Amino acid sequence: MSDLLVNSEKGHLPASQRIPAIAKPFVSERAAKTLDLVEKFVEEECIPADAVFVRQIGETTEQRFSSHPPIIEDLKAKAKRLGLWNMFLPKNHFKEGAGFSNLEYGLMAEYLGKSRTASEATNCAAPDTGNMEVLAKYGNEQQKRRWLDPLLDGKIRSAFLMTEPQVASSDATNIEMRIERDGDSYVLNGQKWWSSGAGDPRCEIYVVLGKTDPNNADKYKQQSVILVPHDTPGITINRMLSVFGYDDAPHGHGHITFKNVRVPATNMVLGEGRGFEIIQGRLGPGRIHHAMRSIGAAEKALEWFLARINDERKKPFGQLLNKHGIMLERVARSRIEIDAARLAVLNAAIKIDESNAKGALKEIAEVKVLVPEVNLTVIDRAIQAYGGAGVSQDTPLANMYALGRTMRIVDGPDEVHLVQLAKNENKRGPAHKRRLDAQKKKGEELCRKFGVSTNDVLHLNRQSGKKSKL
Ligand SMILES: Cc1cc2nc3c(=O)[nH]c(=O)nc-3n(C[C@H](O)[C@H](O)[C@H](O)COP(=O)(O)OP(=O)(O)OC[C@H]3O[C@@H](n4cnc5c(N)ncnc54)[C@H](O)[C@@H]3O)c2cc1C
């Protein structure tokens, strides 16, 4: 089976030996070894198992959202035996994880992104990862034992409920879900959608953002995060949403109504009014995880692309596709763009490790925008090379495109990051203007000092004996 891994004519260069030079000094020996194990596990176990997973889900909607494909438990047992478990919890902030840095896990996440089953098999799947970080970072002891422990153990799953259908949710201050104190309880009313993971029969806990103090003058103190068990009376899953027709079962994306949903007051996380702070803390590292998985998806698309242009059976106009220059140019561009995007993500991960998600806001925003674009471009090129097969169920590319497209929207759409980046960049404008003016002025002073005219290029060309065309 291990010949499956071969990634060049000369044999196999393991993942640890392909770590970009810029990242190598930050990767421990243990992480490098684990990275090779992750690569082997994904290529030899998870990608082949993906075929079983999609068939074990079943056909009808009812089957698809009540099934738990047994292959997942097989993979989880193997991953645990190999020590490939909870690699996402960064070592400088949490004692509960496998003890890797964001950079080290980022390198591993690339491989997880190549398979449908790999993230869940290693207990590194969203939204559980972000929810576990919330519980580990902000939860009290009781909340940790009740919810974090079974999540860390892969016994249950979770969902994160922020987005609402009736408001523009990319601005979280718009959220309307009401959370009202009533004696020893809180009562929730409102609706949520795009609640990813809510379809999984093992999803037991919802991490919910709502408003406890909608009239607070500080609009960032109105929100709170509260834990709601999925089977609390008053909760209705109205429907599951699809992405370009894909239902993403059994995980799914729920549209959920809350009507007088009552939970104990002890389910409040960190305290009333701390919701904004919690969701900000939750999203930073998660964006890096998504980005590195997307790099893995782009690599996988390029592999499929290369396989197609070398397929001896299919020669349009008498030639292998790799003899058509336009295809080779697309291969080269894909290689350049993936490698550049990977460096940007690893740089953001290093920045998070050196400070925290807040300290790496610019770098995270850069990759949040850049990586989905690169991923979609590469997948699109691969789809094109396959012709009709590329958009069908006979390659994974169409499904990958659908998933990749959502990355321009989830965890904040492109525009939010672009606006934030542009505003910060623009702050440097006045300083640049002053420096450029000062340089011009000094240049003119130097010209006068050396007795040369302050006139421009026309004059300089004459001085060097060239005829000006002007
Ligand atoms: C597959 C998938 C999974 C998801 N999973 C979850 C989940 O688990 N939990 C959860 O709570 N949510 C989830 N979401 C929701 C997602 O986070 C939101 O869709 C996203 O934050 C955008 O919010 P919105 O849909 O309300 O769009 P809106 O806020 O209405 O924005 C619509 C559009 O307006 C534009 N826009 C927004 N802000 C600006 C700006 N500042 N400048 C210019 N234009 C702007 C953008 O083009 C944006 O796409 C998921 C979404 C998808 C597609």
Side-chain angles (χ1 to χ4, degrees), residues 41 46 72 75-76 79-80 84-85 117-124:
F41 179 62
C46 299
I72 279 287
L75 289 172
K76 279 160 75 173
K80 270 190 175 173
L84 305 179
W85 197 253
T117 49
S119 294
E120 188 176 352
T122 52
N123 215 38
C124 290

Side-chain angles (χ1 to χ4, degrees), residues 127 160-164 167-171 193-197 243 248 253 406 408-413 415-416 419:
F160 176 65
L161 279 58
M162 180 175 85
T163 306
E164 299 177 358
V167 294
S169 303
S170 53
D171 174 359
W193 74 345
W194 291 108
S195 307
S196 300
V243 174
D248 291 346
H253 311 283
T406 68
R408 293 191 52 206
I409 298 170
V410 293
D411 291 353
E415 291 84 347
V416 173
V419 167

Side-chain angles (χ1 to χ4, degrees), residues 286-311:
R287 288 179 177 137
I288 293 292
H289 303 168
H290 275 319
M292 274 313 269
R293 279 192 292 261
S294 297
I295 297 283
E299 282 289 359
K300 178 172 173 168
L302 182 54
E303 288 169 11
W304 276 78
F305 187 4
L306 289 167
R308 173 64 186 89
I309 67 173
N310 285 281
D311 188 340

